[in-house]
Structures are given as structure tokens and as C-alpha cells.
Amino acid sequence: MHSFAVDHRQGVAMSYQGYRQHTVLITGASSGIGASFARSLAARGASLVLVARRRDRLEELAAELRADHDVAVLAVSVDLASPAAVATILDALRTAHVSVTALINNAGFGTFGEFGSEEPARLAQEIAVDVSAPVQLSHAFLPEIVTRHGFLINVASMAAYTPTPRMAVYGASKAFVLSFTESLWAETQGTGAAVFALSPGATSTEFNAVVGTEDATAGAKPRTPEAVVLTALAHLESRNPGPSVIDGAANRFTATAIRFASRRTTARMMHWVTDPARRAGLPKAAATPERG
């Protein structure tokens, strides 16, 4: 079993050598952006704690990373929608004698449909995974991240920048993550820790499959998880990382352009963008809201 090691000397600007001094906990690590983060950080020499629901996928990825990169990897299978999820993670870390010095809150999912038709229990799970878990995990690990000059990356979304009709709870949760993380960035200035929000747009992951419809990304051309992770790590490795970074030039342009539109205009525009009838070429009256 490889040992988990940390170092007190690293500052905000991260180097390849610097990653070797950190143990990074990644949620939603079994696929998509989370798995890409795991592979990229293992290649840079970081020790890892992989968190997701699907134990078989976690164990398979952990074995791959140990074999390919000779790094320490701990897999923790837990459903972040469970009220006991964070306690379960902390217990697993104590049992394994692992100290987390960096955190990537990547896990999240969305639902699609008119708000009034959504299932309350599913919405509660969405809030637990997308909002409550990042807050609790950030609170649990931020003191050590600051002490060890590590990093905290919270994955938000382009949905954080606009109202998102038919995905009202998801969009609101990502707006929360963006605001929350930018506040933590300000609070941790001068500590040597790096804190920022990462906002991808449409990405080639299992997101739409979980939501249950391609309408969730409105037909946008997806970027790859690897491209998203490269954006995040380039930001992390910059001399003075800002409070947030958007993946993709087109997404950055969109986020900037939206600032010049009124909230009324933006909400109406996004209601049109997410309309299933628009993508299907059907008359508006024929649209049937889809549910996640």
C-alpha cells in the first residue's frame, strides 16, 4: 500500500512536483469530469481519495491509477444524497489514516421538467448532492487545505450564470456553488490555498443520461471532460488564480454577453432554449415537459 504524504511548503501556484505533496479527494470520481480529474492528477503524482456511488467503477479506476502511476488511491463508495454521507467519508479517512489536503467537489446531477411536475424526493436528493454535500465537505476539509496550502475546486456550471427554466433547481444550485466558492476565495486570500469554481458548459459525460433527456443541454456541442480538466488545472497552476473559471471560449463569451441583457430577457430566452418543442421542431402547444 502506498503511503499518503503531504507537505507544508506549497503555495498557490502549483507545479508538477507540488501535486506529489497532496492528497486530493474527488467526488463523482467514477466517470466523466471526476474520472478525468483523477487520471490527470494521478499522472502528476497526487495521492487520491475517490468518492462515488458505484463501488465497482471506483475500484476499477483505483486499480488502473495505482498500476499506471504508482500513486496511493483510496476508494470510498457512498451516496452523497444520504444524510450520513459526509460522516461515512470522514470515518473511512480516519480508518485509513488519510489526511486530505485538496478537494474537488465534482459530484452533481440535474432534473428536467416543469418544476410543479417534479418529484419532491428527487429534488431533495438533487439539493443534497449539488448544494449540501459541497458545503459540508468544504467545511470539513478547508482548514487542512489552508494549513497545507492545498486547493479547493467546486464544480459549478454555465447554468450558474442564467435562470434555467425546466432545470430550476439545478441552475439555482449551481448559482449557489458559484457564489459560495467565490466567497471562500475572498476569505482565503493570502493563506497560500487556492480556491475557485469551475464552470463547464455541455460536456461529454453521463449528465444527460441521468437527467433523462438531451434537452438538458439544449443540443449544445459538448466539450470533452479532458478539456474541462485542462482548463481547471491551467487555472490552478497560474500565478494568481481568480475566484472562478469558465471552460471554453464560447462559454466565456456567452457568460460575458449575458451581463448586458435584462433578467427578464435572459429568463425568457432560456425558457425558449430549453423548450423540447423547439429542438423537435414541434408547435409550442405540442411540447410535453420531460422529467429526470
Side-chain angles (χ1 to χ4, degrees), residues 15-86:
S15 67
Y16 277 86
Q17 180 61 32
Y19 288 109
R20 297 182 182 278
Q21 315 304 327
H22 289 287
T23 297
V24 188
L25 189 150
I26 306 170
T27 66
S30 62
S31 65
I33 294 172
S36 184
F37 263 121
R39 291 187 174 98
S40 296
L41 291 170
R44 288 161 168 77
S47 300
L48 299 173
V49 178
L50 307 180
V51 175
R53 290 179 299 123
R54 295 172 289 195
R55 179 177 296 278
D56 55 341
R57 287 201 183 186
L58 279 182
E59 294 292 356
E60 182 179 348
L61 178 58
E64 171 197 324
L65 298 179
R66 294 186 195 109
D68 290 351
H69 303 292
D70 194 33
V71 295
V73 185
L74 175 67
V76 181
S77 176
V78 64
D79 185 351
L80 290 175
S82 166
V86 174

Side-chain angles (χ1 to χ4, degrees), residues 140-221:
F141 297 120
L142 189 57
E144 189 72 3
I145 289 171
V146 168
T147 298
R148 304 300 181 96
H149 297 170
F151 58 89
L152 167 62
I153 302 173
N154 286 331
V155 179
S157 168
M158 280 298 293
Y161 291 87
T162 65
T164 50
R166 301 181 180 87
M167 298 185 72
V169 171
Y170 178 77
S173 73
K174 292 305 182 179
F176 175 95
V177 169
L178 179 63
S179 176
F180 168 67
T181 309
E182 291 185 332
S183 295
L184 296 187
W185 173 86
E187 290 184 13
T188 55
Q189 286 296 281
T191 65
V195 176
F196 63 90
L198 168 65
S199 292
T203 309
S204 298
T205 68
E206 297 176 354
F207 181 81
N208 282 353
V210 173
V211 173
T213 174
E214 295 296 316
D215 291 314
T217 49
K221 183 179 179 180

